[in-house]
């Protein structure tokens, strides 16, 4: 009630309506892929005043912001932030998942009914059709009778497509390989706009195939580990994962332009393109609110390759801070200071490299899936006389073959429970639950509640597994994510700009609160299955 009384309303025969000049002309949603919350505090002294610090000093900092479901992956993360709900409802249960109807693995943004635009590649046939709910950008399009534009931009297709929603004017993502272009699909358009073609032909991507060295003297990077260590992956063609990296030379063995994705220059290209989109699309130039979603994905590639404690990750965030500064300055110039609203968060965090944690005697390690599969198959043969009762194992889930169960006259619930009782005895599995439990028991806290919010009855498996903290299925170098533990769930949430209160809080907030908060700011309907709540203390 306090929030609504504090807003300026004008009245007409239709009742109270938020005055147009009280709304931001542009809402910018920024997702930094794989950004742990402590990157704000760890690298704070290395940041300038115009990027992360500007948001913290001029806006509102939610310091205890978390994902409220498992799994914490890129596709579900981007969908949840913008829909205000979780995989249980929006249906993006992973980046890829086993489809129980087609008996095939599907990709969260893949769509064979569309064609790529801007490239001949069959790999860029993308749309948001697998996302079942609306985003706040969709609701803004509905509210403004499609007069408010929505554009999504990212290195990753899913990072551009899912946030922009179903009704977006455009989504653009980076096609690496030998092309180095931003592309789209026929879901949005028949051909790329002139300004996108001009950007692609300008060879901006080529300009970033240059040496990557630390921005500042490497000896000052005291917030990260030694440059030479045993915990980092690196690039093909270079013996050690140490600075500097000659990207032009290394690109030949590392996917040509794809190498840029795993460097801070991938973020720079996204910033370049987003600034060009601001100008060319005239975003925020009238009183009808537009939405621009920008996902900086290179942080994720760098984290996977080098780990969260690397010099490379520190340099990537120092450089991202500078890219944010020039992006905000472009917003000031194009839209106007105080005329736009920005939020910044992440789609998930990441675990410290387990092999590094082990050197510090912190419990951590790697899962031996080969041994586990052999043991499980032996159990299935002994118990059921066949391994065919299991149809697929992926994303820490086991999918049962319903036809085989009927053929063998087996009860589904009995098989689910029997497998749970078997799996829980395996090394480094801490919990196991059946789909029946997820569908019938109401969990309110703990990992069980997170699993339940990530469980989609039509798309998820029959058995859900949880591993011990910091035990991952991954290589011995680099970091990954996906769990419901704090290193994966605790991510930044910063707001600043029009309608945003200046302050900070340690109250727990959840990523599903973001979309309702922006919807409340705009005076529009919440996304149609939003479960989050507006953060009243964030809004003026």
């Amino acid at each position: 009630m306090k929030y609504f009384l504090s807003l300026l309303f004008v009245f007409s025969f239709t009742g109270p309506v938020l005055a147009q000049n009280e709304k931001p002309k542009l809402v910018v949603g920024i997702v930094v892929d794989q950004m742990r919350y402590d990157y704000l505090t760890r690298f704070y002294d290395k940041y300038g005043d115009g990027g992360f610090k500007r948001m913290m000093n001029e806006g509102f900092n939610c310091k205890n912001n978390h994902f409220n479901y498992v799994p914490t992956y890129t596709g579900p993360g981007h969908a949840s932030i913008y829909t205000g709900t979780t995989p249980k409802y929006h249906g993006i249960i992973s980046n890829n998942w086993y489809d129980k109807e087609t008996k095939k693995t599907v990709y969260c943004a893949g769509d064979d009914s569309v064609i790529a635009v801007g490239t001949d590649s069959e790999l860029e046939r993308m749309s948001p059709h697998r996302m079942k709910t609306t985003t706040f950008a969709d609701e803004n399009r509905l509210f403004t009778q499609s007069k408010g534009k929505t554009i999504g931009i990212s290195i990753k297709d899913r990072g551009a497509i899912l946030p922009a929603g179903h009704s977006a004017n455009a989504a653009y993502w980076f096609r690496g390989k030998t092309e180095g272009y931003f592309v789209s699909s026929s879901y949005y358009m028949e051909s790329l706009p002139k300004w996108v073609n001009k950007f692609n032909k300008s060879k901006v991507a080529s300009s970033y195939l240059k040496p990557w060295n630390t921005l500042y003297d490497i000896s000052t990077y005291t917030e990260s580990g030694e440059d030479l260590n045993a915990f980092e992956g690196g690039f093909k063609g270079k013996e050690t994962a140490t600075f500097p990296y000659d990207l032009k030379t290394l690109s030949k063995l590392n996917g040509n332009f794809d190498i840029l994705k795993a460097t801070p220059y991938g973020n720079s290209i996204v910033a370049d393109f987003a600034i060009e989109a601001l100008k060319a699309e005239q975003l925020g130039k009238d009183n009808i609110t537009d939405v621009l979603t920008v996902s900086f994905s290179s942080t994720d590639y760098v984290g996977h390759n080098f780990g969260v404690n690397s010099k490379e990750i520190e340099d990537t965030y120092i450089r991202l801070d500078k890219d944010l500064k020039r992006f905000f300055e472009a917003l000031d110039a194009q839209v106007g200071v105080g005329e736009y609203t920005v939020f910044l968060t992440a789609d998930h965090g990441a675990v410290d490299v387990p092999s590094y944690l082990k050197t510090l005697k912190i419990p951590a390690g790697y899962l031996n899936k080969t041994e586990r599969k052999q043991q499980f198959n032996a159990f299935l043969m002994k118990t059921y006389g066949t391994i065919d009762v299991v149809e697929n194992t992926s994303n820490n889930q086991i999918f049962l073959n319903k036809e085989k169960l009927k053929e063998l006259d087996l009860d589904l619930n009995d098989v689910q429970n029997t497998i749970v009782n078997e799996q829980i005895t395996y090394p480094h599995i801490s919990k196991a639950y059946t789909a029946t439990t997820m569908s019938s028991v109401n969990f309110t806290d703990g990992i069980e509640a997170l699993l339940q919010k990530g469980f989609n009855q039509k798309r998820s498996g029959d058995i859900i597994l949880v591993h011990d903290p910091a035990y991952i299925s991954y290589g011995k170098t680099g970091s990954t994510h996906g769990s419901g533990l704090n290193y994966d769930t605790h991510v930044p949430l910063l707001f600043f700009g029009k309608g945003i209160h200046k302050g900070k809080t340690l109250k727990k907030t959840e990523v599903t609160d973001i979309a309702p908060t922006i919807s409340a700011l705009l005076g529009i309907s919440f996304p149609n299955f939003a479960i989050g709540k507006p953060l009243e203390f964030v809004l003026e």
Side-chain angles (χ1 to χ4, degrees):
M1 187 64 181
K2 180 180 178 182
Y3 162 67
F4 289 103
L5 289 175
S6 68
L7 288 174
L8 175 63
F9 283 91
V10 293
F11 290 85
S12 68
F13 67 94
T14 57
V17 180
L18 191 63
Q20 285 288 350
N21 62 4
E22 287 301 303
K23 297 183 181 183
K25 293 181 177 181
L26 176 66
V27 171
V28 181
I30 298 175
V31 176
V32 183
D33 205 323
Q34 203 189 111
M35 185 177 183
R36 292 161 52 116
Y37 174 79
D38 64 356
Y39 290 164
L40 280 182
T41 54
R42 215 171 102 201
F43 306 138
Y44 184 86
D45 291 339
K46 294 293 193 298
Y47 295 143
D49 293 327
F52 290 116
K53 283 184 179 179
R54 180 176 177 184
M55 295 196 75
M56 287 187 274
N57 294 333
E58 296 182 19
F60 202 96
N61 185 358
C62 297
K63 297 183 175 183
N64 190 21
N65 184 61
H66 289 262
F67 276 85
N68 55 350
Y69 64 84
V70 178
T72 43
Y73 294 136
T74 299
H78 282 78
S80 298
I81 290 163
Y82 286 86
T83 64
T85 192
T86 68
K88 179 178 181 179
Y89 301 113
H90 63 59
I92 305 298
I93 63 171
S94 188
N95 293 334
N96 302 275
W97 65 85
Y98 180 73
D99 185 83
K100 292 186 278 191
E101 293 183 10
T102 64
K103 311 298 184 185
K104 296 179 181 178
T105 297
V106 297
Y107 177 56
C108 63
D111 187 351
D112 289 339
S113 72
V114 303
I115 60 173
V117 172
T119 176
D120 293 329
S121 173
E122 290 292 308
L123 301 177
E124 309 298 338
R125 301 170 70 176
M126 304 290 173
S127 86
H129 77 108
R130 287 196 168 92
M131 186 168 64
K132 298 296 186 182
T133 61
T134 61
T135 66
F136 75 77
D138 285 321
E139 297 300 334
N140 187 62
R141 292 277 285 166
L142 291 168
F143 185 86
T144 63
Q145 302 302 308
S146 298
K147 295 173 185 175
K149 284 186 178 180
T150 298
I151 295 178
I153 298 169
S154 179
I155 283 285
K156 294 181 179 178
D157 47 60
R158 57 189 180 272
I161 292 168
L162 299 175
H166 302 276
S167 59
N169 299 82
Y172 302 104
W173 55 95
F174 186 72
R175 167 80 182 162
K177 308 302 180 185
T178 59
E179 294 169 77
Y181 295 154
F182 277 90
V183 301
S184 190
S185 83
S186 60
Y187 180 87
Y188 306 98
M189 63 194 72
E190 294 181 0
S191 60
L192 294 178
K194 290 181 180 179
W195 72 265
V196 177
N197 283 324
K198 183 179 179 181
F199 184 93
N200 286 337
K201 291 176 182 177
S202 69
K203 299 188 183 298
V204 172
S206 297
S207 72
Y208 287 112
L209 287 175
K210 60 184 181 179
W212 173 24
N213 207 342
T214 53
L215 186 63
Y216 305 125
D217 190 313
I218 197 169
S219 66
T220 67
Y221 283 33
T222 54
E223 296 79 16
S224 46
E226 294 296 324
D227 193 28
L228 179 62
N229 59 70
F231 315 119
E232 301 175 15
F235 296 114
K236 294 177 182 177
K238 193 172 190 302
E239 190 173 336
T240 60
T242 54
F243 284 105
Y245 300 94
D246 184 346
L247 300 183
K248 188 170 185 178
T249 300
L250 292 171
S251 66
K252 298 169 186 175
L253 293 175
N254 293 273
N256 297 298
F257 285 107
D258 277 348
I259 195 173
L260 295 177
K261 297 178 181 180
T263 77
Y265 300 137
N267 292 330
S268 298
I269 295 170
V270 168
D272 293 338
F273 192 79
I275 291 169
E276 197 60 35
L278 276 176
K279 301 173 184 176
E281 297 288 349
Q282 295 288 290
L283 298 177
K285 286 297 187 181
D286 57 30
N287 287 327
I288 300 175
T289 304
D290 297 321
V291 175
L292 175 62
T293 74
V294 182
S295 180
F296 291 103
S297 305
S298 290
T299 43
D300 184 67
Y301 289 104
V302 175
H304 277 295
N305 193 354
F306 297 97
V308 306
N309 197 46
S310 63
K311 300 289 187 195
E312 288 80 1
I313 206 74
E314 179 168 0
D315 191 68
T316 296
Y317 276 89
I318 290 171
R319 290 177 182 272
L320 174 59
D321 183 62
K322 293 189 176 297
D323 284 326
L324 288 174
K325 177 185 178 182
R326 64 189 181 92
F327 182 44
F328 295 155
E329 288 174 346
L331 287 167
D332 292 340
Q334 293 296 314
V335 185
V337 177
E339 294 295 336
Y340 61 88
T341 305
V342 181
F343 71 81
L344 182 149
T345 188
D347 56 349
H348 53 74
V351 65
D352 263 295
V353 180
S355 55
Y356 167 65
L357 292 176
K358 289 174 73 173
T359 67
L360 300 176
K361 301 180 181 180
I362 294 173
Y366 298 90
L367 305 171
N368 191 323
K369 284 198 168 183
T370 301
E371 286 186 4
R372 183 187 290 180
K373 183 178 181 180
Q374 291 173 346
Q375 184 175 352
F376 185 45
N377 283 347
F379 162 80
L380 293 175
M381 286 298 298
K382 180 179 179 181
T383 307
Y384 302 112
T386 177
I387 64 172
D388 291 341
V389 293
V390 170
E391 196 166 81
N392 178 269
T393 302
S394 56
N395 291 320
N396 301 323
Q397 299 175 58
I398 297 172
F399 296 78
L400 297 178
N401 185 330
K402 306 302 193 301
E403 289 77 14
K404 194 67 176 179
L405 297 187
K406 289 180 181 179
E407 179 187 321
L408 297 175
D409 197 25
L410 295 171
D411 179 78
L412 176 61
N413 289 337
D414 287 345
V415 176
Q416 286 180 353
N417 287 318
T418 299
I419 290 177
V420 161
N421 291 333
E422 170 68 11
Q423 287 282 332
I424 199 65
T425 68
Y426 294 173
H428 309 304
I429 288 184
S430 65
K431 291 181 180 293
Y433 293 96
T434 67
T436 302
T437 298
M438 286 293 118
S439 300
S440 59
V441 179
N442 183 31
F443 296 106
T444 58
D445 55 24
I447 193 70
E448 293 80 7
L450 301 186
L451 289 169
Q452 194 163 55
K453 285 188 176 71
F455 177 82
N456 185 283
Q457 193 170 8
K458 289 195 72 170
R459 293 181 173 178
S460 297
D462 293 278
I463 293 95
I464 299 93
L465 306 174
V466 180
H467 297 118
D468 286 343
Y471 273 81
I472 61 175
S473 178
Y474 204 67
K476 297 296 176 69
T477 59
S479 301
T480 194
H481 49 86
S483 78
L485 294 154
N486 285 321
Y487 51 71
D488 280 336
T489 68
H490 190 193
V491 297
L493 177 54
L494 304 172
F495 294 88
F496 96 108
K498 191 160 194 172
I500 301 301
H501 181 64
K502 181 180 177 180
K504 55 191 175 183
T505 186
L506 280 169
K507 292 179 181 178
K508 187 173 183 179
T509 59
E510 297 178 334
V511 295
T512 49
D513 298 332
I514 298 170
T517 300
I518 297 299
S519 296
L521 173 69
L522 298 180
I524 63 176
S525 294
F526 291 5
N528 59 16
F529 225 131
I531 62 172
K533 59 186 182 302
L535 302 175
E536 295 184 58
F537 47 82
V538 167
L539 301 173
E540 288 183 343

